[in-house]
Amino acid sequence: MASLGSIATAPLRAEREGDKNAKSIVFLGLLWFAILFAVLALVVLLVTAFFDGRTRLDADLITQYSSTVFPERAGARAAILGSAMVIVTTAALAIPLGVAAGVYLEEFADPRRWYNKLIEVNLTNLAAVPAIVYGMLTAGVALSIGLPRRVVLAGAIALALLVLPVIIITTREAMRSVPQEIRQGSLALGATPLQTVWRQTLPSAIPGIATGSILALSRALGEAAPLLLLGGLVFVTYDPNGLMSGFTTSYRSRSSTGRHSHSWRFSRSHRQPLSCFWSCCCS
Amino acid sequence: MECDGVDVYYGDFKAVCDVSLGFGYNEITALIGPSGCGKSTLLRSLNRMNDLIPEARVEGAVTFHGQSIYAKDVDPIEVRRRIGMVFQKPNPFPKSIYDNVAYGPRVTGMKAADMDDLVEEALTRSALWDEVKDKLKQSAYGLSGGQQQRLCIARTIAVRPEVILMDEPCSALDPIATSRIEDLMAELRDDYSIIIVTHNMQQAARVADRTAFFTALADETTGDRTGLLVEYDLTNKIFSSPADERTEKYITGRFG
Ligand SMILES: Nc1ncnc2c1ncn2[C@@H]1O[C@H](COP(=O)(O)OP(=O)(O)OP(=O)(O)O)[C@@H](O)[C@H]1O
Ligand SMILES: [Mg+2]
């Protein structure tokens, strides 16, 4: 038998031009240009923002309320606290509900039942509904049952509705990627389906669920439309002090004098001792 | 444990047709036959693992100590606890070795006086204790394939089932690991009844007391291949003087 070395074979040296022809170089250049352009835009943005605003880069920016009287000392405190409260409430509403719904649909629902099919179709459609529709829905419901709508809870409910389909879908995706063998192994030992979900499937799916939930919540955080529709306050000079408090979130902290007096009065009447707590914590 | 006229369907497709056999107490029964003849399907229907496949349907009677396991008032969870299963591919949980073994007793609410002892006993019986006793807290995924499979066996015997179903438990293992698992089966036979699916004829001949040979017949009209039981007898008999010529052809390697 001929040894391997003696068999004539094509040389292994690179004889083709590989990536060194003109076309490849142009293409590579384009790729580099694209990435440079993106980075450049970001750098310009950061640098100008820094130089234009550096006189205001002090603690006031986050510890002071917005103010039309002393704009040079105004801060985003109410907006930051408002955003935080809204998003924490949204998460508290949407994540347990979304994960539970996703787990049910993936592990327990019989996909052949018509109502489960209906839910499926609706879910995918709901994920594509424009955000403002959820704002309208929440506002409408709040109005018709006579509850206040300019409050943290209403904003959080609207945002929770908005992200719920996304959380459900990512939860299902994460559960589906857990190997079937794990479920079978658990069930074959005499575990109930609920124990199997609770102790095996759900823990294995948590990284996927977390990623999906964080992405969904960051979408909610940046969403202005439903909150505008609920009439979240535009100019607030107090800390939100509970779920039924008026609030503002970061993207709307620009003042309008017309709203000013109104919301200020609104806020005074709702002010509660709890706000002292917030002030102590934050200043 | 007995099967009487068992048919298993996947939707309209009949995968197993009219199987009747009785599995002996404290015996090892081997199921052999060509690929696709429904051995795994039959095995899964013995502890209701087929329930997990929505379109699967079992007809006929499967009885365990005289009770039908498909009766309405039977709890499939209890069936699976009493009739354990080891899969073809080792499937440890993404947990520590200790937790893998302790999982079954915990979920079935076994009143173990001392979980550590229970885990040690199960691992010792599955011939794994010496290899893992210093790393019980490490992930089970760090074990070799053979060790993982023995861990799965340990996990199964930790809940003290009466019957253990094994679906090609050695097909991913080297000969040394295989022979350890075979030794293990011989040892477990004193306390458990074992039903094993295997493609390895020597293995069946070595470990099994009885052997059932299955084959698949194509339906003339639909072309569906349905599995049926050809012959069931003492292993010696099957391998020395089979009654059916299809069995003889298969075990001498001229069939399927
Ligand atoms: N989940 C399923 N859905 C539909 N058909 C299935 C399913 N599982 C198995 N079958 C069919 O049932 C028949 C028997 O399959 P089974 O897995 O029981 O064969 P087997 O004897 O175990 O084969 P092997 O020796 O290759 O493991 C095959 O024709 C297969 O296509
Ligand atoms: Mg099989």
Side-chain angles (χ1 to χ4, degrees):
Chain A
M1 198 173 125
S3 82
L4 256 184
S6 67
I7 299 172
T9 177
L12 297 172
R13 269 176 294 118
E15 297 210 323
R16 291 174 303 130
E17 312 171 55
D19 278 347
K20 292 195 194 75
N21 57 29
K23 231 162 81 187
S24 306
I25 289 171
V26 169
F27 186 63
L28 212 63
L30 279 175
L31 289 182
W32 275 106
F33 176 74
I35 203 168
L36 275 180
F37 189 77
V39 170
L40 201 69
L42 185 67
V43 168
V44 169
L45 198 72
L46 285 177
V47 167
T48 48
F50 179 77
F51 280 102
D52 289 353
R54 70 175 187 275
T55 51
R56 290 294 334 272
L57 270 185
D58 49 27
D60 279 354
L61 190 62
I62 51 170
T63 58
Q64 292 295 320
Y65 300 104
S66 44
S67 161
T68 45
V69 188
F70 302 107
E72 67 284 350
R73 290 198 47 217
R77 172 178 177 145
I80 292 171
L81 286 178
S83 294
M85 262 189 96
V86 169
I87 212 65
V88 166
T89 317
T90 306
L93 290 173
I95 291 179
L97 206 58
V99 171
V103 167
Y104 168 75
L105 286 173
E106 197 53 37
E107 300 286 327
F108 297 101
D110 181 345
R112 291 170 302 178
R113 298 263 180 233
W114 64 267
Y115 45 84
N116 288 325
K117 280 186 191 148
L118 192 74
I119 293 176
E120 287 240 36
V121 173
N122 275 315
L123 266 183
T124 25
N125 285 333
L126 282 179
V129 165
I132 194 155
V133 175
Y134 293 104
M136 288 160 74
L137 178 71
T138 315
V141 170
L143 262 183
S144 60
I145 57 175
L147 288 178
R149 58 194 167 91
R150 300 186 164 189
V151 295
V152 170
L153 189 59
I157 290 177
L159 292 180
L161 289 178
L162 171 71
V163 296
L164 204 53
V166 183
I167 293 183
I168 295 176
I169 290 170
T170 46
T171 301
R172 296 190 63 179
E173 216 54 63
M175 297 292 278
R176 205 171 304 157
S177 64
V178 176
Q180 197 63 30
E181 285 89 42
I182 301 284
R183 288 187 191 89
Q184 289 182 352
S186 170
L187 291 169
L189 289 172
T192 64
L194 199 62
Q195 285 172 326
T196 304
V197 165
W198 207 237
R199 292 171 176 239
Q200 300 289 354
T201 344
L202 202 55
S204 305
I206 276 178
I209 295 175
T211 315
S213 304
I214 288 168
L215 286 177
L217 286 179
S218 57
R219 174 178 171 207
L221 195 57
E223 200 66 71
L227 299 185
L228 280 175
L229 207 99
L230 282 167
L233 308 175
V234 173
F235 186 83
V236 175
T237 52
Y238 59 90
D239 295 336
N241 58 11
L243 292 182
M244 287 305 184
S245 159
F247 69 103
T248 185
T249 55
S250 53
Y251 36 84
R252 285 182 293 110
S253 47
R254 179 168 300 245
S255 66
S256 75
T257 344
R259 297 294 296 270
H260 172 200
S261 51
H262 165 77
S263 39
W264 193 79
R265 251 183 288 120
F266 179 81
S267 70
R268 274 294 150 192
S269 60
H270 280 243
R271 204 144 184 184
Q272 284 159 19
L274 204 77
S275 60
C276 301
F277 171 73
W278 280 105
S279 320
C280 298
C281 293
C282 303
S283 48
Chain B
M1 175 153 212
E2 313 232 342
C3 294
D4 189 20
V6 170
D7 301 327
V8 187
Y9 297 85
Y10 291 109
D12 294 332
F13 167 64
K14 195 174 194 177
V16 173
C17 166
D18 196 25
V19 171
S20 303
L21 57 148
F23 301 101
Y25 194 64
N26 286 5
E27 276 188 356
I28 300 179
T29 309
L31 310 182
I32 60 171
S35 196
C37 68
K39 305 178 297 291
S40 305
T41 304
L42 180 70
L43 201 68
R44 281 200 302 268
S45 65
L46 296 181
N47 73 341
R48 297 199 58 170
M49 287 301 281
N50 270 345
D51 291 10
L52 309 182
I53 305 168
E55 62 267 30
R57 194 157 46 83
V58 178
E59 283 175 11
V62 182
T63 52
F64 180 59
H65 295 304
Q67 312 170 48
S68 165
I69 65 167
Y70 285 91
K72 274 210 185 62
D73 57 345
V74 165
D75 179 10
I77 309 299
E78 187 57 24
V79 170
R80 294 188 201 122
R81 199 194 66 69
R82 305 264 289 272
I83 307 175
M85 185 158 198
V86 177
F87 298 85
Q88 174 167 4
K89 209 174 115 207
N91 59 347
F93 302 130
K95 294 170 179 282
S96 71
I97 294 169
Y98 183 95
D99 286 339
N100 260 278
V101 181
Y103 180 76
R106 280 179 187 153
V107 295
T108 51
M110 265 170 75
K111 300 269 178 294
D114 190 349
M115 190 62 84
D116 292 355
D117 286 346
L118 195 80
V119 169
E120 177 173 347
E121 190 204 316
L123 285 170
T124 310
R125 298 213 64 175
S126 55
L128 194 60
W129 176 250
D130 291 334
E131 288 159 64
V132 301
K133 63 171 181 268
D134 301 323
K135 44 182 184 179
L136 290 175
K137 293 286 164 216
Q138 289 176 22
S139 166
Y141 284 3
L143 298 175
S144 76
Q147 290 172 326
Q148 286 186 8
Q149 191 65 301
R150 273 178 283 151
L151 178 66
C152 291
I153 296 177
R155 189 173 79 177
T156 306
I157 57 184
V159 294
R160 308 225 164 93
E162 291 167 45
V163 180
I164 303 177
L165 310 175
M166 297 186 174
D167 194 352
E168 301 178 39
C170 304
S171 63
L173 305 185
D174 72 64
I176 296 170
T178 301
S179 82
R180 298 199 67 156
I181 290 186
E182 286 176 9
D183 293 346
L184 176 61
M185 283 191 278
E187 212 175 289
L188 293 176
R189 173 169 52 183
D190 297 339
D191 299 307
Y192 304 91
S193 309
I194 298 177
I195 303 172
I196 174 178
V197 169
T198 178
H199 278 292
N200 182 332
M201 233 75 66
Q202 289 80 25
Q203 182 171 58
R206 275 194 302 264
V207 300
D209 300 298
R210 289 170 192 275
T211 300
F213 172 67
F214 292 81
T215 190
L217 272 195
D219 186 302
E220 266 113 46
T221 49
T222 58
D224 285 350
R225 284 159 50 82
T226 299
L228 71 156
L229 176 65
V230 174
E231 195 175 350
Y232 176 49
D233 214 327
L234 290 173
T235 302
N236 280 337
K237 175 95 187 329
I238 292 267
F239 282 93
S240 57
S241 54
D244 196 293
E245 69 172 327
R246 286 171 294 184
T247 317
E248 187 180 353
K249 277 186 179 167
Y250 183 75
I251 59 178
T252 52
R254 284 180 283 129
F255 180 95

